[in-house]
Amino acid sequence: MNWQLQERQDRLNQVVEEALRVGPQVITANGEETAVVLSMEEYRRLTPPTDNLADFLMKSPLRGSGIRIERDQDLERDLSL
């Protein structure tokens, strides 16, 4: 659904409810699409995570658990080409 900027200012509640119920709501100004109102769930789905691998591992529930993960030190691997 598209919304005129003037309407959006007066009916923000309805725009937010429609975003939650129906999906993204497009805001227009002077006939141009200028913004989109999304539910927080949709926003989070579309936004890439900001954590890097180190942050992810630091937040792991296994951190500090004492679990030891050992890497196989054998450098040779059998490959079928």
Side-chain angles (χ1 to χ4, degrees):
M1 173 172 260
N2 290 343
W3 299 86
Q4 291 293 320
L5 186 56
Q6 285 179 315
E7 290 176 336
R8 191 219 30 101
Q9 290 170 343
D10 296 334
R11 298 171 30 189
L12 181 58
N13 250 3
Q14 183 180 356
V15 174
V16 172
E17 287 174 15
E18 288 291 308
L20 293 171
R21 192 172 59 80
V22 178
Q25 301 295 300
V26 177
I27 307 295
T28 60
N30 301 321
E32 300 279 328
E33 294 179 339
T34 57
V36 176
V37 176
L38 301 171
S39 68
M40 188 53 77
E41 177 183 348
E42 183 73 4
Y43 173 76
R44 286 186 178 128
R45 187 182 72 76
L46 294 172
T47 305
T50 57
D51 290 348
N52 58 32
L53 180 58
D55 291 334
F56 173 79
L57 294 173
M58 294 294 283
K59 293 177 185 175
S60 169
L62 295 177
R63 183 171 186 239
S65 68
I67 190 170
R68 292 185 50 95
I69 300 173
E70 295 185 20
R71 180 176 173 211
D72 185 2
Q73 298 299 316
D74 185 11
L75 299 177
E76 297 179 23
R77 297 181 183 170
D78 293 329
L79 297 175
S80 59
L81 302 174

